[in-house]
């Protein structure tokens, strides 16, 4: 059986390549994702280890507030610096203040902000406690002097002696007095850095004088990090802690994992999983056809004494060898893909610092194992089917797979689909925070049900889709339709792969369109102003607080209010809050107050949404303790309760309550109302010089603001489409492979058609239109599935995310349908050309 399997593979090299292709692509994507993740993780570990190499202990605030991406740690008193320096075993200490500051290049354009942070703080002049090394110039010694990283200097064409601006968010004029490297790298993994004097860093990056972010400690020779921490801790007040340098490095790595790498890997692995799922359908269909073609061979083996186990073992062995070969090639290709993805991230400004590629054996083993297991699982059912071929079948001239859909399959498919749809509907319509997961499980059941039900509906669906063909393609069109209908299980299996890929594409398309529609509806309902200034990057520097008051002084402006965001504790529960002057907010926003009035909310009060009030059992006039990032707590009174929370969130506090506790306060949005009788165009023209003076974003009208949001959604959608293209490609290769194998199966039939007068062109057209019918069957099913699941996803997340408007992007879905038909034509080109080249006499003689 071993020799028979090997000879069978070698005798059908083209079939071997076609079967391997789906596995290679899926495994390459999986291996590329894992290798890229390993490389980025290793690079960050190297960077953080280098950054903390001389730091044996870190003294810091114990409490944090906010998410992983923008968590704020409670500051510590600067007096701790001298106290820690007196501890036995401490060789050196250094104060550390950190914040956000965006460097402006020589051309006036801000640097960074596309992903990696724009860091700023004090220049640490203790070499063993600073990862930065001066490459040129000197350390800052006076206000207005900075050291910047070499990556920013190169990108911004800045040199020692250049004058520029650092936005903190206020524009601070500075002179570059030094250029530094992060160890041996030009920057910290793509982040920018501006180092000020300690006094100026304290001014810009602390809430009050005399505060530090951390105290960095270097131990004397022979004193372990753990011993040093044990000696420091007794001196520390409540709310302050000491950790080892090794613990700081581990936390830095975990923070990157939680805030970026974990999401990034999961995001890519989802698409790798989709690609492998689509590949599974293609592999299964290929093995099903191979088994059908080898019916006579299997029967002969049974007739000469082979057992069912041996037949199953032979096919499983073939699948194992294909899986190992294809997975090995895919894993090797994945390493190259990881290099390409890394280069793409670097080009987009969100990559790592370019460390060496890290190929962990575990990642390659996982990729190989997944590829082999997927191939083996896809071959199980065809192998069992082949073992059931009776020996008498060896006497038949040909054994085609005419199996269709049994009643048991139909019943199982209907039950699974109905159960999945019912589950999705129940939780989608119910909504709430816990609705998304069970709705997702219902979606999986729905997909499984549709796949099981596929052969039941493949025949009628192919008849319907191909109905126009006989009218304008005559007998050729009719034969194409009959060929698609003759084996519903094969048609359904081939189309299922495309259905999954198109279904995911349609889901994201519907969801993206609904997000844009929801944003537009919320803006129309809640925003009573005329113009919006909003941060357009991820720099974290925000908009200076002085912008809104400056705009309010313009005669063309009737009102301007800045809106910032912060994390806080509301009655002990952590959450986000907006920071805005509520009286000014009432002029430009209609939040539909149900109790109280925004315009009447005082400086010691706050406003809260109806849903948050219900969650916390709060009423108008209740006093609520509010905790801030500096560790202090203030009692505020509920002064208003509002219904429309989508734009402003669940809690709004006045600046007077927030600013005394704020570190580097800024606005994220400025809402503007034009003065009576002033056109929006005139108001924009008046605002532009003020925006330029502060380095603030340009004002947008309502439509431009909505378009900006839509552009961000479209950009994300483009990335999704690019990643899903692999799954669609695998599905199309599956269609081409299925048709190629079926042509071999129908060699005699095709020869007879040619013998009775069918031309090569008619034969090519017949095969191509069969491909189009299969592709449209999968595409139409995928669009229907995607629209339904997109609607369900929107409904399930409506209450928590504020997505209330369902949008059916008809144009995009029609384009998807058209592309599905075109893809069918392309997938059928090679099989059609191969069919047309068959020798008529040899084909007729085939048995």
């Amino acid at each position: 059986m071993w020799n028979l399997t090997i000879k069978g593979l070698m005798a059908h090299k083209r079939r071997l390549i076609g079967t391997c292709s789906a596995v290679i692509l899926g495994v390459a994507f999986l291996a590329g994702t894992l290798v890229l993740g390993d490389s980025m993780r290793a690079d960050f570990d190297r960077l953080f280890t280098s950054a903390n190499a001389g730091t044996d202990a870190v003294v810091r605030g114990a409490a944090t507030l906010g998410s992983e991406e923008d968590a704020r740690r409670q500051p510590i008193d600067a007096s701790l610096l001298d106290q820690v320096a007196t501890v036995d075993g401490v060789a050196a200490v250094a104060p550390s203040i950190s914040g956000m500051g965006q460097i402006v290049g020589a051309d006036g354009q801000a640097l960074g902000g596309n992903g990696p942070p724009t860091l700023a703080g004090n220049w640490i002049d203790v070499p063993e406690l600073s990862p930065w090394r001066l490459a040129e110039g000197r350390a800052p010694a006076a206000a207005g002097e900075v050291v910047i990283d070499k990556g920013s200097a190169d990108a911004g064409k800045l040199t020692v002696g250049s004058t520029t601006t650092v936005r903190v968010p206020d524009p601070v004029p500075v002179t570059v007095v030094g250029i530094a490297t992060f160890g041996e790298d030009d920057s910290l993994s793509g982040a920018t850095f501006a180092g000020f004097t300690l006094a100026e860093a304290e001014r810009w990056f602390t809430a009050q004088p005399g505060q530090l972010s951390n105290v960095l400690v270097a131990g004397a020779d022979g004193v372990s990090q753990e011993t040093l921490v044990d000696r420091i801790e007794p001196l520390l007040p409540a709310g302050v802690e000491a950790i080892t340098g090794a613990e700081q490095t581990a936390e830095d790595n975990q923070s990157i994992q939680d805030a970026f790498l974990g999401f990034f890997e999961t995001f890519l692995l989802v698409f790798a999983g989709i690609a492998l799922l689509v590949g599974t359908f293609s592999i299964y269909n290929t093995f099903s056809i191979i088994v059908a073609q080898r019916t006579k061979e299997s029967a002969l083996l049974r007739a000469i004494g082979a057992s069912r186990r041996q037949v199953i073992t032979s096919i499983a062995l073939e699948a194992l060898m294909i899986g190992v070969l294809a997975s090995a090639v895919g894993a090797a290709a994945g390493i190259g893909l990881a290099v390409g993805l890394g280069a793409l991230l670097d080009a987009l400004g969100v990559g790592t610092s370019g460390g060496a590629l890290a190929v962990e054996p575990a990642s390659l083993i996982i990729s190989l194992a997944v590829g082999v297991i997927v191939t083996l699982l896809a071959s199980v059912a065809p192998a069992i089917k082949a073992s059931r071929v009776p020996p008498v079948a060896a006497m038949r001239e040909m054994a085609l797979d005419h199996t269709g859909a049994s009643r048991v399959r139909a019943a199982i498919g209907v039950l699974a689909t109905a159960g999945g749809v019912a589950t999705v509907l129940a939780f989608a319509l119910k909504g709430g925070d816990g609705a998304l997961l069970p709705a997702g499980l219902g979606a999986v059941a729905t997909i499984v049900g549709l796949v099981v039900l596929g052969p039941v509906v493949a025949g009628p669906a192919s008849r319907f889709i191909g109905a126009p063909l006989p009218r304008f393609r005559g007998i050729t069109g009719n034969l194409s339709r009959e060929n698609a209908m003759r084996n519903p299980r094969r048609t359904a299996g081939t189309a299922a792969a495309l259905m999954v890929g198109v279904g995911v594409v349609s889901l994201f398309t519907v969801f993206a369109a609904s997000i844009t529609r929801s944003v537009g509806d919320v803006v129309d309902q809640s925003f009573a102003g005329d113009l919006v200034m909003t941060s357009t990057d991820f720099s974290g520097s925000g908009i200076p607080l002085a912008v809104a008051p400056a705009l309010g002084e313009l005669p063309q402006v009737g009102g301007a209010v800045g809106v910032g965001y912060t994390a806080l504790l509301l009655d002990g529960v952590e959450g986000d809050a907006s920071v805005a002057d509520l009286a000014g907010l009432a002029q430009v926003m209609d939040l539909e107050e149900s109790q109280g009035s925004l315009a009447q909310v005082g400086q010691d009060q706050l406003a809260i949404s109806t849903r948050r009030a219900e969650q916390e059992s709060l009423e108008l006039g209740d006093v609520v303790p509010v905790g801030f990032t500096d560790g202090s707590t203030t009692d505020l009174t509920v002064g208003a309760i509002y219904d429309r929370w989508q734009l402003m969130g669940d809690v709004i506090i006045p600046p007077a309550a927030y600013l005394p506790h704020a570190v580097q306060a800024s606005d994220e949005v400025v809402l503007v109302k034009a003065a009576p009788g002033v056109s929006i165009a005139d108001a924009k023209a008046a605002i532009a010089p003020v925006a330029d003076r502060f380095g603030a974003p340009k004002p947008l009208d309502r439509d431009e603001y909505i378009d900006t949001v839509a552009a961000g959604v479209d950009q994300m959608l483009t990335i999704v489409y690019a990643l899903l293209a692999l799954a669609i490609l695998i599905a199309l290769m599956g269609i081409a492979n299925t048709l190629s194998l079926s042509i071999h199966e129908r060699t005699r039939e095709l020869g007879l058609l040619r013998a009775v007068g069918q031309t090569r062109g008619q034969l090519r057209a017949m095969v191509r239109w069969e491909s189009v019918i299969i592709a449209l069957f999968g595409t139409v099913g995928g669009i229907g599935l995607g629209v339904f699941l997109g609607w369900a996803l929107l409904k399930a997340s409506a209450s928590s995310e504020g997505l209330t408007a369902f949008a059916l992007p008809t144009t995009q879905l029609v384009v998807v349908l058209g592309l599905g038909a075109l893809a069918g034509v392309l997938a059928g080109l090679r099989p059609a050309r191969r069919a047309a080249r068959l020798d008529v006499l040899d084909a007729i003689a085939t048995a």
Side-chain angles (χ1 to χ4, degrees):
M1 297 301 292
W2 169 261
N3 291 332
L4 184 65
T5 301
I6 296 295
K7 289 180 179 179
L9 282 173
M10 293 300 100
H12 301 91
K13 296 183 180 64
R14 181 177 295 176
R15 184 173 69 194
L16 173 65
I17 294 172
T19 308
C20 288
S21 299
V23 185
I24 290 172
L25 290 175
V27 171
F29 200 170
L30 174 62
T33 298
L34 294 176
V35 170
L36 180 61
D38 290 339
S39 301
M40 295 177 74
R41 197 175 293 106
D43 196 39
F44 280 116
D45 182 61
R46 175 182 64 83
L47 289 168
F48 291 136
T49 300
S50 172
N52 300 323
T55 302
D56 294 309
V58 178
V59 178
R60 65 185 190 180
T64 61
L65 203 56
S67 60
E68 292 90 352
E69 296 85 353
D70 56 0
R72 295 278 186 175
R73 186 171 292 276
Q74 181 178 335
I76 61 176
D77 194 276
S79 62
L80 285 173
L81 184 71
D82 293 334
Q83 295 181 39
V84 172
T86 64
V87 173
D88 181 32
V90 171
V93 295
S96 174
I97 297 175
S98 57
M100 294 291 181
Q102 193 166 26
I103 303 167
V104 177
D107 59 356
Q109 298 298 312
L111 304 175
N114 294 322
T118 54
L119 304 174
N122 66 300
W123 176 258
I124 298 174
D125 55 8
V126 181
E128 59 265 42
L129 291 172
S130 174
W132 296 101
R133 299 289 179 264
L134 278 173
E136 299 177 45
R138 60 174 176 82
E145 295 183 346
V146 294
V147 172
I148 65 173
D149 63 288
K150 189 175 186 302
S152 297
D154 293 341
K157 294 181 171 53
L158 300 171
T159 60
V160 173
S162 295
T163 57
T164 185
T165 300
V166 177
R167 298 174 181 170
V168 295
D170 294 314
V172 179
V174 297
T175 299
V176 177
V177 297
I179 296 175
T181 59
F182 189 86
E184 298 179 354
D185 299 307
D186 289 347
S187 67
L188 171 58
S189 192
T192 66
F193 172 73
F196 295 83
T197 63
L198 179 63
E200 197 162 17
E202 183 183 86
R203 175 185 177 188
W204 297 120
F205 309 123
T206 64
Q208 299 174 8
Q211 291 184 337
L212 301 174
S213 300
N214 303 308
V215 171
L216 307 179
V217 185
D221 292 340
V223 179
S224 70
Q225 294 187 355
E226 292 75 12
T227 300
L228 195 62
V229 167
D230 289 340
R231 293 175 181 177
I232 292 172
E233 282 186 331
L235 298 177
L236 303 180
V240 181
E241 65 180 7
I243 62 170
T244 65
E247 289 173 329
Q248 181 66 60
T249 299
E251 283 190 12
D252 290 340
N253 280 317
Q254 188 61 48
S255 177
I256 287 292
Q257 177 68 28
D258 294 340
F260 170 64
L261 278 181
F263 169 78
F264 177 76
E265 282 187 292
T266 302
F267 182 74
L268 290 182
L269 286 174
V270 166
F271 292 97
I274 293 172
L276 286 168
L277 176 62
V278 170
T280 302
F281 286 111
S282 298
I283 297 165
Y284 168 81
N285 219 39
T286 298
F287 272 100
S288 295
I289 295 175
I290 291 172
V291 166
Q293 291 175 354
R294 285 162 43 180
T295 299
K296 191 171 183 179
E297 177 185 320
S298 300
L300 283 172
L301 290 172
R302 294 294 311 281
I304 61 175
S307 65
R308 287 187 60 188
R309 171 186 283 185
Q310 287 177 309
V311 173
I312 292 175
T313 301
S314 175
I315 295 176
L317 188 59
E318 182 175 338
L320 176 63
M321 288 189 288
I322 289 174
V324 170
L325 174 63
S327 298
V329 174
I335 296 174
L337 180 62
V339 175
L341 285 173
L344 177 61
L345 290 175
D346 287 337
L348 295 174
V350 295
T352 66
S353 61
L357 195 69
V359 183
E360 296 291 338
S363 296
L364 294 183
I365 292 172
I366 291 172
S367 302
L368 289 168
V370 169
V372 171
I373 291 171
V374 164
T375 308
L376 285 174
L377 290 177
S379 69
V380 168
I384 293 175
K385 184 179 179 182
S387 72
R388 293 174 178 170
V389 176
V392 71
M395 301 178 185
R396 298 175 187 167
E397 224 175 75
M398 181 64 71
L400 299 178
D401 180 12
H402 292 292
T403 55
S406 66
R407 293 182 178 179
V408 174
R409 172 184 283 271
I412 294 174
V414 168
L415 288 175
T417 304
V421 170
T423 302
V424 170
L425 288 174
F427 286 96
L429 295 175
K430 176 185 176 183
D433 293 337
L436 205 53
L437 179 59
L441 295 176
V444 172
T446 302
I447 295 172
V448 172
L450 289 176
V451 171
V452 173
L453 202 59
V456 179
V457 299
S462 298
R463 182 186 299 276
F464 176 77
I465 293 171
L469 290 180
R471 296 184 181 180
F472 68 91
R473 295 296 298 176
I475 188 64
T476 298
N478 191 57
L479 286 172
S480 299
R481 184 175 66 162
E482 293 298 326
N483 285 336
M485 294 168 52
R486 71 195 296 184
N487 196 320
R489 180 175 294 180
R490 183 178 303 169
T491 298
T494 307
L498 189 58
M499 180 190 73
V500 172
V502 172
V504 179
V505 167
S506 301
L507 185 153
F508 278 103
T509 302
V510 168
F511 196 64
S514 299
I515 290 175
T516 303
R517 173 76 63 81
S518 296
V519 170
D521 288 351
V522 170
V523 169
D524 288 339
Q525 293 170 4
S526 303
F527 183 44
D530 300 301
L531 298 170
V532 178
M533 301 172 71
T534 180
S535 298
T536 56
D537 60 26
F538 305 100
S539 66
S541 57
I543 302 172
L545 296 179
V547 170
L551 295 181
E553 294 175 359
L554 297 174
Q556 296 88 347
V557 173
V561 60
V563 180
Y565 301 100
T566 185
L568 50 70
L569 293 172
L570 185 71
D571 201 13
V573 179
E574 184 173 340
D576 296 323
S578 297
V579 181
D581 175 66
L582 285 97
L585 192 65
Q587 298 178 19
V588 295
M589 294 290 292
D590 178 13
L591 300 186
E592 205 171 75
E593 298 100 316
S594 58
Q595 299 181 50
S597 170
L598 291 180
Q600 301 300 319
V601 173
Q603 300 301 311
D604 58 350
Q605 296 181 318
L606 57 78
I608 189 170
S609 69
T610 304
R611 67 172 190 168
R612 186 66 182 270
E614 292 174 351
Q615 291 172 0
E616 305 295 332
S617 301
L618 295 173
E619 297 180 355
L620 194 68
D622 284 353
V623 177
V624 187
V626 177
F628 295 96
T629 54
D630 64 351
S632 62
T633 300
T634 301
D635 288 338
L636 298 178
T637 304
V638 177
I641 299 176
Y642 55 91
D643 292 332
R644 294 176 179 164
W645 54 270
Q646 289 84 356
L647 286 182
M648 299 302 298
D650 288 313
V651 180
I652 309 172
I653 62 175
Y658 166 69
L659 291 179
H661 315 282
V663 176
Q664 204 173 354
S666 64
D667 288 327
E668 293 297 321
V669 178
V670 175
L671 307 173
V672 183
K673 188 177 184 65
V678 177
S679 68
I680 293 178
D682 290 342
K684 288 177 71 173
I687 289 171
V690 178
D692 290 340
R693 188 170 81 235
F694 286 97
K698 294 181 178 180
L700 307 172
D701 61 30
R702 287 167 170 266
D703 292 337
E704 289 171 335
Y705 174 66
I706 294 172
D707 289 344
T708 299
V709 175
V713 175
D714 290 342
Q715 185 178 21
M716 189 65 181
L717 196 60
T718 300
I719 296 173
V720 170
Y721 285 162
L723 294 173
L724 287 173
L726 177 63
I728 302 296
L729 176 62
I730 293 174
L732 297 179
M733 290 174 60
I735 294 176
N737 201 32
T738 298
L739 288 174
S740 295
L741 292 173
S742 67
I743 284 168
H744 172 74
E745 182 182 82
R746 299 187 332 230
T747 299
R748 188 177 187 189
E749 173 189 319
L750 297 176
L752 288 171
L753 287 173
R754 290 295 313 285
V756 297
Q758 188 180 51
T759 66
R760 289 181 184 272
Q762 288 175 321
L763 182 56
R764 284 195 298 266
M766 181 186 75
V767 175
R768 286 198 301 266
W769 281 112
E770 181 182 351
S771 175
V772 170
I773 292 173
I774 295 173
L776 283 177
F777 177 41
T779 302
V780 171
I783 290 174
L785 178 66
V787 169
F788 171 67
L789 295 183
W791 169 85
L793 179 62
L794 179 79
K795 287 292 184 182
S797 58
S799 61
S800 58
E801 302 298 332
L803 305 176
T804 56
F806 172 72
L808 187 64
T810 307
T811 302
Q812 291 96 315
L813 294 179
V814 169
V815 170
V816 171
L817 183 62
L819 290 175
L822 177 61
V825 173
L826 296 176
L829 287 178
R830 182 172 171 274
R833 186 168 60 252
R834 183 183 173 197
R837 289 177 178 175
L838 290 173
D839 182 271
V840 177
L841 294 179
D842 288 344
I844 293 174
T846 300

